[in-house]
Amino acid sequence: MVPRKTHFTSEVTPELHGKEVVLAGWVWEVRDLGKVKFVILRDREGFVQLTFKSGRTPEELLSKVPYLNKEDVIVVRGVVEASRVAKTGVEVFPLEMWVLAKAKPLPVDLWGGTSDLPTRLKYRPVDLKSPRNLAIFTTASEILRAIREVLYKHKFVEVFTPKIIATSTEGGAELFAVLYFERVAYLAQSPQLYKEQLTASLERVFEIAPAYRAEKHNTDYHLNEFISIDGEGAFMDYSDVMDLLEEIMRAVVSAINAKRERLEKLGIRPPLYDVGRIPRVSYDEAIDKLKSLGYDVKWGDDLNVEMQRALTKFYGPLYFLVDFPASLRPFYTKRKDDDPKRTESYDLVLNGIEIVSGATRIHQREVLEKEMRERGLDPSAFESHLSVFDWGMPPHAGFGMGFNRLLMALLGLSNVREAVLYPRDRYRLEP
Ligand code: AMO
């Protein structure tokens, strides 16, 4: 019987000196120096050196080592010894070894990192074995944990809303149609309308789920399926939500700092070390600053990545843009009471990339209908949503955070595809 794994490689520390452990993982490297043979075993958490020494290691075990291939799956029972030479400060002297699966030569260079991104994405399940990817996606999970913790602390309830829907929420052109029995349905671009409706019952909700956009751009920061972290709170406005996002960003950066050493060893350099008060820059001020830099931009224009990057000169890598013109925001966005051309809205920008967007919402049916008509939308198509506003809709506000963009920007990755396990883009539907 093959024994169960007792430790991840990261748990094999010098304090275990003299103890027996069972490790399981993949052969990263074999170094055969004749009487001494080293096998580097990799698992999700890192590496451990296995030392096979003639005289000490059973002969039958020693003779197996030259037949190991890179990425063979092995289980090893052995004794831990603190070591001054081994990279991780420990080595393990095997007593028994089982080869559970053999591996052919890999289509991706996990060792030298020489494969290009298209090749890596084509063989993504293999590419995900690389130490760099393991660090990215274990950190991603820690980031999600940190975000959930902040939201739970503020009494948000985790929910799931339908991804197959009947009408558009964020604009018609970017919908994927699906055949739904006898009729056409769409994949949800965001849980916007559902999360708003839920503030009338659950008050504060969040959802972490895929969102679908049939955008044809093929850029480094657009995906056709991305993970959206959405939050919506009753009796809140956009400044409450920005306070919450500030807390989320602080928690996320400290989750990254806990992993920083491992990340940096792999060449990943998270740009943020801490998060203080995040500047809240009005759209008007941003336009003025951009004009002063010579950009050809006027009030009412959308800001592109280059402009948002230029603004980091004034505000640092992380800032909010607030109070956008109503013409730039969706129909559900509340206008400012004293300035109806502008809205109670914001984007959170990190290194020039918009990672979050949100607003105070309209909670009065007539106002919402008027905004729909102004944007050429037919309120009757939204009747099931609008009727909720007849039965006690609280004022509310929220956010939509693109998790893959967040991960990309936080880790300083150059392409959002690096921040998704299996990216879906204009030309990629597999694996
Ligand atoms: P918005 O359309 O700005 O707002 O989307 C919110 C956030 O989602 C991310 N995002 C994307 N990430 C990768 N690829 C894409 N194609 C893509 N599109 C958007 C971005 C963006 O900031 N309902 C509103 C949110 C709200 O007001 O609560 C919405 O969907 O990081």
Side-chain angles (χ1 to χ4, degrees), residues 129-401:
K129 292 162 171 270
S130 77
R132 182 183 154 90
N133 275 326
L134 293 169
I136 291 174
F137 291 102
T138 52
T139 305
S141 175
E142 293 303 318
I143 292 173
L144 284 171
R145 185 208 299 272
I147 294 173
R148 280 198 171 92
E149 275 170 7
V150 174
L151 290 167
Y152 282 133
K153 185 182 134 202
H154 287 277
K155 297 200 163 18
F156 282 75
V157 172
E158 184 161 10
V159 299
F160 299 95
T161 64
K163 298 303 151 211
I164 304 179
I165 58 168
T167 46
S168 160
T169 52
E170 311 289 341
E174 295 161 0
L175 281 167
F176 284 114
V178 291
L179 215 50
Y180 194 71
F181 305 107
E182 297 75 29
R183 52 190 285 207
V184 174
Y186 303 97
L187 294 179
Q189 298 160 307
S190 87
Q192 184 63 35
L193 305 187
Y194 290 108
K195 69 175 179 173
E196 286 193 50
Q197 292 174 18
L198 289 171
T199 64
S201 50
L202 291 166
E203 294 191 37
R204 295 182 188 186
V205 295
F206 75 99
E207 176 168 15
I208 303 181
Y212 300 91
R213 309 255 170 123
E215 294 165 313
K216 288 201 172 127
H217 341 275
N218 198 22
T219 73
D220 289 349
Y221 41 88
H222 281 95
L223 293 162
N224 295 111
E225 177 181 65
F226 65 94
I227 298 300
S228 183
I229 305 179
D230 276 89
E232 200 70 24
F235 313 112
M236 294 178 106
D237 69 11
Y238 74 144
S239 53
D240 300 319
V241 178
M242 285 189 276
D243 291 344
L244 178 68
L245 287 167
E246 232 170 66
E247 199 173 326
I248 287 177
M249 292 306 291
R250 261 193 286 282
V252 155
V253 168
S254 68
I256 288 181
N257 285 339
K259 296 263 180 185
R260 184 175 287 277
E261 201 184 317
R262 180 178 179 194
L263 292 165
E264 289 190 344
K265 271 191 196 145
L266 294 162
I268 297 168
R269 304 209 187 292
L272 293 181
Y273 289 80
D274 52 28
V275 175
R277 171 96 180 149
I278 305 176
R280 298 178 185 184
V281 182
S282 75
Y283 170 89
D284 286 36
E285 182 181 317
I287 293 290
D288 288 345
K289 284 277 194 285
L290 288 169
K291 279 185 182 155
S292 78
L293 291 174
Y295 282 93
D296 177 23
V297 62
K298 58 181 188 313
W299 199 89
D301 288 349
D302 229 338
L303 306 187
N304 60 29
V305 173
E306 195 197 327
M307 294 171 187
Q308 290 178 160
R309 232 164 241 160
L311 292 171
T312 61
K313 283 195 197 78
F314 302 101
Y315 309 114
L318 184 66
Y319 59 85
F320 285 107
L321 286 173
V322 304
D323 300 349
F324 283 87
S327 56
L328 289 178
R329 305 303 277 200
F331 66 85
Y332 47 77
T333 312
K334 183 180 182 295
R335 291 177 191 256
K336 288 175 78 94
D337 290 329
D338 55 354
D339 183 6
K341 278 193 140 135
R342 295 177 179 79
T343 53
E344 294 193 9
S345 60
Y346 63 87
D347 281 355
L348 180 60
V349 180
L350 174 52
N351 289 334
I353 304 283
E354 174 207 316
I355 53 170
V356 189
S357 147
T360 313
R361 324 294 186 183
I362 295 165
H363 75 288
Q364 288 146 314
R365 177 172 178 147
E366 322 73 70
V367 184
L368 201 51
E369 286 189 10
K370 183 172 159 282
E371 295 289 347
M372 284 177 171
R373 278 192 289 269
E374 267 186 30
R375 288 166 180 76
L377 298 166
D378 176 9
S380 67
F382 291 86
E383 184 50 36
S384 87
H385 178 60
L386 288 168
S387 65
V388 183
F389 289 67
D390 292 337
W391 301 311
M393 190 62 162
H396 56 283
F399 68 87
M401 170 185 266

Side-chain angles (χ1 to χ4, degrees), residues 40-151:
I40 307 297
L41 176 141
R42 173 184 59 75
D43 71 3
R44 190 186 78 193
E45 304 292 322
F47 300 97
V48 126
Q49 177 182 303
L50 309 175
T51 306
F52 299 74
K53 218 174 198 164
S54 83
R56 172 160 185 179
T57 310
E59 272 310 311
E60 178 261 342
L61 188 51
L62 209 58
S63 66
K64 283 187 184 171
V65 175
Y67 296 98
L68 290 175
N69 295 338
K70 284 180 171 181
E71 287 308 298
D72 283 357
V73 180
I74 58 171
V75 173
V76 170
R77 185 172 67 80
V79 178
V80 179
E81 283 197 14
S83 154
R84 250 177 277 127
V85 228
K87 265 193 192 154
T88 58
V90 284
E91 55 191 328
V92 171
F93 287 84
L95 299 167
E96 273 185 289
M97 177 169 78
W98 297 262
V99 180
L100 303 191
K102 295 294 292 173
K104 294 179 185 169
L106 269 54
V108 175
D109 177 14
L110 303 182
W111 298 270
T114 58
S115 306
D116 57 18
L117 190 59
T119 306
R120 288 174 42 207
L121 294 178
K122 179 171 176 193
Y123 299 105
R124 191 60 161 164
V126 178
D127 181 48
L128 292 174
K129 292 162 171 270
S130 77
R132 182 183 154 90
N133 275 326
L134 293 169
I136 291 174
F137 291 102
T138 52
T139 305
S141 175
E142 293 303 318
I143 292 173
L144 284 171
R145 185 208 299 272
I147 294 173
R148 280 198 171 92
E149 275 170 7
V150 174
L151 290 167

Side-chain angles (χ1 to χ4, degrees), residues 20-34:
E20 206 178 288
V21 293
V22 178
L23 305 178
W26 291 260
V27 174
W28 179 254
E29 197 186 332
V30 181
R31 253 176 288 149
D32 193 338
L33 310 177

